[in-house]
Amino acid sequence: MDDYDPAQSYSTCVIVVVDTGGLFEAFAAGMRSVRGKLLISGIPRMTRPRLRNDRYTGFTVVDPGGNWIRITRATAEPEARTTLAAALENAARQADSHGDERQGLKILEGALTRASGDEPEYQAVREYRDELVERITGTESRP
């Protein structure tokens, strides 16, 4: 379409599956074979799946046309959430679903300052924080 800007796309869909881990690996392998690496910013891109309670919860793919394809795990029952798990979910919603990486980073940094460091999600929150810094700055923040 003339003058179409994929970055301005409002097109989205949600795909609910039992296991997001295998599907993520298949999508990631496809992107790596075509693009040479897993793209986490720009268009196209993919978010890495979030790990909660030893299971992957979901990820997002933004295709070359700017369409947001959200893959999420079907849950049979609500799971108990810690404060860090809630912060991780909120940050992912802001950064991955709404494209607001800075707000996601702000949520995670606030949660990490209040964390003791022994919560089950602590490492996942730190890793996602590092990913958001990388997405915002375009540089890898890990040593």
Side-chain angles (χ1 to χ4, degrees), residues 20-51:
T20 61
L23 191 55
F24 171 79
E25 292 303 327
F27 274 64
M31 181 177 277
R32 286 181 184 110
S33 72
V34 172
R35 303 289 180 159
K37 65 179 183 175
L38 183 65
L39 303 175
I40 61 170
S41 63
I43 296 176
R45 69 177 175 272
M46 287 179 60
T47 63
R48 292 182 181 97
R50 307 294 157 239
L51 184 62

Side-chain angles (χ1 to χ4, degrees), residues 16 40 43 63 71 77 80 93 95 100 102 106 112 115 133 137-138 142:
V16 180
I40 61 170
I43 296 176
D63 73 13
I71 292 93
E77 58 190 60
R93 183 176 296 112
D100 191 347
R102 293 183 189 284
K106 183 177 177 181
L112 286 169
V133 168
T137 64
R142 295 176 216 143

Side-chain angles (χ1 to χ4, degrees), residues 1 15 27 31 42 49 51 53 56 84-85 97 107 118 126:
M1 296 184 299
I15 300 171
F27 274 64
M31 181 177 277
L51 184 62
N53 297 333
Y56 289 111
L84 274 184
S97 298
I107 291 167
D118 60 354
R126 288 189 50 88

Side-chain angles (χ1 to χ4, degrees), residues 43-90:
I43 296 176
R45 69 177 175 272
M46 287 179 60
T47 63
R48 292 182 181 97
R50 307 294 157 239
L51 184 62
R52 189 172 81 197
N53 297 333
D54 298 324
R55 294 175 62 190
Y56 289 111
T57 58
F59 63 98
T60 300
V61 175
V62 180
D63 73 13
N67 301 298
W68 288 62
I69 304 162
R70 303 167 201 278
I71 292 93
T72 187
R73 176 175 48 97
T75 57
E77 58 190 60
E79 298 174 5
R81 293 188 328 165
T82 65
T83 302
L84 274 184
L88 184 60
E89 185 176 312
N90 291 336

